[in-house]
């Protein structure tokens, strides 16, 4: 594929496949090395596709573990492939003349007005909006961040002469825009009790693990048998997890939680922990395959919705694995844990899960004295 623009009837599936071609990275590095050696302009023989692949996969750290992880790369591949596909297919909406592109390059032909029009189109009249309704503010912010970062790279690398990334409108996610995923101890206990009474070992174990560890969805799905380790000093188990931003943390496990994991593996006909292969998934689907993040989310929501418990009737959204991460933070705070300890336990640099609790706890009403209101409080 010599250029993104010289392929007829380019499908999104084909584009995604081309963008996800990691094997191209070594060749691109070699081409850059040769250009540098010959004192040539870097990226002079790169095309649009090359720039996407290099941006996503280029190595920046001495320790490769500190570069983008696999999940982040896949997210960038998906978003940038969609960005290019939409610009090509809906070019008229962006006032973009594909027939008059510069140097056979879509990116070099873009101007700030195209970016503004694209962002407005994405938010108001894209196929997703027409078929499923508007994107959430958080989703729009995520898409904008990825594309904006890539366009900044194009300018900084001198592949583009136009400063495109400043063409984006600001996208700010307010606290009120975030979905309510607060989950109380009462709700967690209700689910655990229900699945225990049903002898539903799989769901009981999953909720038991999620609510007592604060694991992210993808962290849970990626767990291998070898990630469950024994601390010989305390004779207790813990998860050794490589989380978001390639940050590693160790998550202690209560004895009853380890028992739940053992029961899960027994029901799924998996080897006991001391007999399992270290690189095999710790938790599996009914077909003994690793959970994907999307399937895991759908599975949890479907199972909990099928219970039709009155305690969840007022919720207008599906309960997903992420709810139990919020529950971990809330239960930890209610048990007196320090806010910074909670942040570190979750692998967070900031704590947004407890904003509502802090808002209520620190409300001015708590300073009122009964005698000033004639005991009406």
């Amino acid at each position: 594929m010599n250029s993104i623009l010289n392929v007829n009837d380019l499908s999104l599936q084909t584009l995604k496949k081309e963008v996800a071609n990691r094997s191209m990275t070594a060749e691109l590095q070699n081409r850059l090395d040769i250009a540098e050696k010959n004192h040539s302009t870097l990226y002079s023989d790169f095309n649009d596709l090359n720039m996407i692949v290099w941006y996503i996969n280029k190595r920046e750290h001495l320790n490769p573990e500190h570069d983008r992880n696999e999940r982040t790369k896949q997210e960038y591949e998906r978003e940038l492939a969609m960005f290019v596909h939409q610009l090509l297919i809906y070019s008229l909406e962006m006032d973009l003349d594909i027939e008059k592109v510069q140097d056979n390059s879509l990116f070099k032909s873009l101007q700030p007005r195209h970016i503004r029009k694209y962002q407005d189109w994405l938010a108001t009249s894209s196929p997703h909006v027409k078929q499923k309704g508007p994107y959430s503010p958080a989703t729009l912010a995520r898409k904008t961040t990825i594309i904006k970062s890539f366009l900044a790279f194009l300018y900084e690398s001198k592949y583009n002469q136009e400063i495109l990334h400043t063409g984006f409108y600001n996208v700010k996610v307010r606290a009120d825009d975030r979905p309510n995923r607060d989950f109380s101890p009462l709700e967690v206990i209700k689910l655990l009790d229900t699945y225990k009474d049903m002898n539903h070992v799989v769901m009981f174990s999953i909720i038991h693990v999620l609510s007592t560890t604060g694991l992210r969805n993808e962290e849970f799905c990626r767990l291998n048998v070898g990630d469950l380790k024994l601390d010989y000093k305390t004779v207790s188990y813990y998860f050794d997890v490589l989380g978001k931003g390639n940050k590693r943390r160790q998550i202690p496990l209560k004895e009853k939680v380890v028992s739940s994991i053992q029961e899960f593996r027994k029901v799924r006909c998996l080897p006991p922990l001391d007999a399992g292969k270290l690189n095999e998934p710790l938790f599996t689907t009914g077909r003994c395959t690793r959970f994907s993040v999307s399937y895991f989310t759908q599975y949890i929501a479907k199972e909990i919705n099928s219970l039709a418990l009155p305690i969840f009737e007022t919720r207008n959204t599906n309960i997903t694995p992420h709810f139990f991460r919020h529950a971990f933070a809330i239960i930890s705070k209610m048990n007196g844990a320090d806010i910074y300890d909670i942040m570190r336990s979750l692998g967070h640099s900031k704590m947004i899960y407890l904003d509502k609790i802090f808002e209520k706890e620190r409300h001015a009403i708590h300073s009122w004295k009964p005698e000033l209101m004639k005991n009406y409080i």
Side-chain angles (χ1 to χ4, degrees):
M1 184 173 182
N2 297 322
S3 168
I4 285 178
L5 296 177
N6 66 3
V7 177
N8 295 324
D9 300 322
L10 182 64
S11 70
L12 179 58
Q13 183 177 3
T14 301
L15 181 56
K16 284 182 178 179
K17 183 178 179 181
E18 295 288 348
V19 169
N21 182 8
R22 308 284 174 80
S23 63
M24 190 190 301
T25 308
E27 176 195 336
L28 296 178
Q29 178 66 74
N30 185 57
R31 285 158 60 182
L32 286 174
D33 291 343
I34 293 174
E36 180 182 321
K37 181 179 180 180
N38 295 332
H39 303 287
S40 302
T41 303
L42 297 178
Y43 307 105
S44 60
D45 66 340
F46 277 43
N47 60 37
D48 290 355
L49 174 64
N50 295 157
M51 294 303 290
I52 296 178
V53 174
W54 180 247
Y55 169 71
I56 295 172
N57 298 288
K58 61 188 173 75
R59 182 177 171 184
E60 296 183 327
H61 297 274
L62 180 62
N63 184 348
E65 283 193 354
H66 296 161
D67 284 319
R68 292 191 179 106
N69 61 32
E70 186 63 25
R71 182 172 181 270
T72 301
K73 288 182 179 181
Q74 290 175 357
E75 181 180 17
Y76 275 52
E77 288 164 359
R78 181 177 63 251
E79 293 297 344
L80 292 177
M82 180 65 75
F83 172 58
V84 172
H85 179 74
Q86 290 174 333
L87 285 177
L88 293 175
I89 300 301
Y90 302 98
S91 57
L92 293 179
E93 307 278 351
M94 270 56 88
D95 190 28
L96 177 61
D97 191 347
I98 296 297
E99 301 300 324
K100 297 180 180 179
V101 297
Q102 177 183 339
D103 298 330
N104 202 32
S105 166
L106 171 64
F107 299 148
K108 292 180 181 179
S109 304
L110 293 174
Q111 294 181 327
R113 74 175 189 279
H114 298 133
I115 300 303
R116 289 194 299 272
K117 289 177 180 293
Y118 170 79
Q119 190 182 27
D120 190 53
W121 170 85
L122 186 68
T124 62
S125 56
S126 62
H128 183 282
V129 172
K130 293 178 179 179
Q131 297 170 14
K132 300 180 180 180
Y135 287 106
S136 69
T139 298
L140 283 174
R142 174 177 55 77
K143 288 176 175 291
T144 298
T145 298
I146 292 174
I147 299 171
K148 189 174 183 179
S149 174
F150 173 65
L151 295 180
F153 163 72
L154 292 181
Y155 178 73
E156 291 163 2
S157 63
K158 299 181 181 180
Y159 183 79
N160 270 23
Q161 300 303 313
E162 287 276 0
I163 304 177
L164 299 174
H165 55 285
T166 58
F168 277 107
Y169 295 112
N170 290 327
V171 180
K172 185 176 181 181
V173 182
R174 303 172 303 173
D176 291 344
D177 293 329
R178 299 185 184 278
N180 179 17
R181 296 193 179 99
D182 288 354
F183 217 55
S184 69
L186 179 64
E187 292 172 303
V188 173
I189 292 298
K190 181 62 178 177
L191 284 174
L192 288 173
D193 285 344
T194 300
Y195 285 119
K196 185 176 181 180
D197 292 341
M198 294 170 59
N199 196 30
H200 197 319
V201 174
V202 169
M203 279 299 295
F204 177 89
S205 301
I206 289 174
I207 292 173
H208 202 186
V209 171
L210 290 176
S211 59
T212 57
T213 62
L215 285 166
R216 296 181 174 92
N217 301 25
E218 59 271 22
E219 292 171 347
F220 180 93
C221 296
R222 285 203 309 263
L223 282 173
N224 289 329
V225 173
D227 295 324
L228 179 61
K229 301 180 182 295
L230 178 64
D231 185 335
Y232 291 99
K233 291 182 179 179
T234 61
V235 196
S236 58
Y237 285 93
Y238 65 94
F239 284 142
D240 187 23
V241 176
L242 184 63
K244 194 173 182 179
N246 288 313
K247 295 180 180 178
R248 190 171 294 280
R249 68 188 194 279
Q250 297 178 342
I251 305 173
L253 298 173
K254 296 292 187 180
E255 187 176 340
K256 291 183 178 179
V257 177
V258 177
S259 296
S260 290
I261 297 172
Q262 291 276 30
E263 288 299 312
F264 178 100
R265 292 183 63 81
K266 183 178 179 181
V267 168
R268 287 289 202 224
C269 297
L270 299 170
L273 292 173
D274 57 0
K277 294 181 179 179
L278 298 182
N279 61 349
E280 289 182 345
L282 183 63
F283 300 97
T284 65
T285 66
R287 296 182 177 180
C288 292
T289 59
R290 187 183 297 278
F291 281 106
S292 69
V293 173
S294 59
Y295 175 75
F296 185 55
T297 300
Q298 294 169 12
Y299 174 75
I300 297 299
K302 180 181 177 181
E303 288 292 331
I304 295 178
N305 284 340
S306 69
L307 297 176
L309 295 175
I311 193 173
F312 301 131
E313 286 181 352
T314 58
R315 290 192 175 273
N316 57 4
T317 185
N318 288 331
I319 296 171
T320 65
H322 198 71
F323 276 70
F324 299 100
R325 187 165 160 83
H326 284 250
F328 174 88
I330 292 170
I331 295 171
S332 297
K333 177 64 173 64
M334 293 175 68
N335 277 280
D338 181 82
I339 179 64
Y340 295 105
D341 288 338
I342 299 174
M343 288 167 54
R344 286 191 291 270
S345 298
L346 291 169
H348 261 194
S349 57
K350 58 182 179 179
M351 180 49 64
I352 60 174
Y353 297 168
L354 299 176
D355 286 348
K356 294 177 183 177
I357 288 182
F358 287 145
E359 185 178 348
K360 287 181 283 188
E361 284 186 350
R362 297 170 181 173
H363 198 281
I365 190 68
H366 296 308
S367 65
W368 289 21
K369 299 177 180 179
E371 55 269 25
L372 295 180
M373 284 291 292
K374 296 183 180 180
N375 295 317
Y376 280 111
I377 60 170

